[in-house]
Amino acid sequence: MNRAQLEGLVVPRVGVTVDIHPRDLPIALIGTAGGALALWADAPFEVAVPVALLIVLDIRVRRWRRRT
């Protein structure tokens, strides 16, 4: 892939907003501990890390339309 193709992949879409914020400290600690426990218990890395990130981060995807 050349640079022009890569830049085309990361262009934001009109009407979609993605907000990513860390959660409050107790929930973040629970998510981190849960991810560490899953890795310690030999859970697959590809499963444990995304689940821990979903617990630690507050991810909101919103769609909106322009008013005409």
Side-chain angles (χ1 to χ4, degrees), residues 8-44:
L9 294 176
V10 295
V11 174
R13 294 186 177 239
V14 175
V16 176
T17 303
V18 178
D19 297 324
I20 302 174
H21 301 284
R23 293 187 188 263
D24 293 332
L25 188 58
I27 300 295
L29 290 175
I30 291 169
T32 304
L37 179 64
L39 290 175
W40 182 63
D42 293 330

Side-chain angles (χ1 to χ4, degrees), residues 9 13 16 18 21 29 31 36 39 47 51 53-54 60 63-64 67:
L9 294 176
R13 294 186 177 239
V16 176
V18 178
H21 301 284
L29 290 175
L39 290 175
V47 174
V51 170
L53 287 176
L54 285 175
R60 294 181 185 163
R63 293 190 61 197
W64 51 274
R67 295 184 183 190

